[in-house]
Amino acid sequence: MNAVILLGAPGSGKGTQAARLAESLGMPHISTGAILRQAVTDGTELGVAARDIMAAGRLVSDEIVLGIVEARVSAHDCRRGFILDGYPRNRAQARALGEVLSRLGATEWIANIAVPAEELAARVRGRRGTDGRQDDSEEAFRRRLEVYESESLPLLDYYGDRASNVSGLGSRDEVFGRLCAALPFATAQLVTQ
Ligand code: AMP
């Protein structure tokens, strides 16, 4: 079982690349942000608990997101592997994920999509209004970037050599090509398809 962990700032293109990778490899794309947004839309208990935190660009509690991830990766369609997008977001989540993955006997593949901060801000300004994301407002985005820098960026130290750095600049195809090259198992599977 292959577990792909995609790291990257808000606006890095992580969601787009995760979806494409998932489609190419025939593995589920697990976006904790998308699961939470759906819960908000559905007005479930989870959605009610997460709504204001998400709108403000802050992190939902580790306990809640771990519950979501544990349930999702245990599903039958994840038996060959899955692509994680937006999890882990801090060291505590990374440690919890490590335990889940070792229980599943999964091999980890970690890639970080690196994009300079000015470019991130320009991209999010560009998608504002078209994506309908409440947390793309100027203030919420600034907060998400701060949270990313203080909580999520340290994951690069946490994973060290286990994480491959991929430049997120250029076209989507270029980034996808680099990402596949950084994930040897993915290259092998794409070639044999
Ligand atoms: P994303 O779509 O990944 O940018 O996530 C949107 C929002 O959902 C984030 O700003 C957080 O409020 C929440 N969220 C998503 N994933 C996590 C996570 N792993 N831990 C905490 N909050 C999360």
Side-chain angles (χ1 to χ4, degrees):
M1 175 194 275
N2 291 299
V4 178
I5 301 171
L6 279 190
L7 303 175
S12 62
K14 181 165 47 76
T16 306
Q17 297 296 337
R20 186 160 169 190
L21 206 52
E23 198 189 330
S24 309
L25 297 171
M27 286 178 180
H29 169 199
I30 305 178
S31 157
T32 44
I35 293 171
L36 287 164
R37 276 189 291 280
Q38 188 61 50
V40 171
T41 304
D42 295 345
T44 62
E45 200 178 323
L46 170 65
V48 171
R51 187 185 52 206
D52 294 348
I53 302 171
M54 292 175 72
R58 297 177 188 278
L59 293 185
V60 174
S61 84
D62 291 344
E63 209 184 322
I64 289 182
V65 280
L66 177 61
I68 293 174
V69 169
E70 278 191 300
R72 185 65 190 86
V73 301
S74 310
H76 188 66
D77 64 339
C78 288
R79 69 197 178 283
R80 286 197 314 112
F82 44 86
I83 320 287
L84 282 175
D85 160 18
Y87 191 92
R89 284 284 230 278
N90 59 31
R91 286 173 188 264
Q93 293 183 10
R95 280 193 293 271
L97 177 63
E99 285 171 25
V100 172
L101 296 184
S102 66
R103 223 181 299 140
L104 292 170
T107 308
E108 292 181 323
W109 303 88
I110 306 155
N112 175 55
I113 305 183
V115 174
E118 319 79 67
E119 170 72 13
L120 295 173
R123 287 185 187 181
V124 169
R125 242 174 256 131
R127 79 180 183 193
R128 202 167 281 156
T130 54
D131 272 19
R133 280 182 64 149
Q134 246 192 319
D135 60 357
D136 272 350
S137 71
E138 192 73 43
E139 196 188 333
F141 178 69
R142 204 175 330 113
R143 168 65 59 187
R144 282 161 66 211
L145 215 51
E146 277 171 22
V147 169
Y148 169 75
E149 282 170 3
S150 63
E151 302 277 322
S152 311
L153 207 52
L155 290 178
L156 294 185
D157 272 345
Y158 177 87
Y159 286 120
D161 288 349
R162 289 190 282 159
S164 313
N165 248 309
V166 168
S167 164
L169 293 178
S171 71
R172 288 173 183 196
D173 286 352
E174 283 166 346
V175 178
F176 186 67
R178 287 181 208 130
L179 198 56
C180 290
L183 301 169
F185 94 91
T187 318
Q189 286 198 17
L190 290 172
V191 169
T192 53
Q193 264 170 20

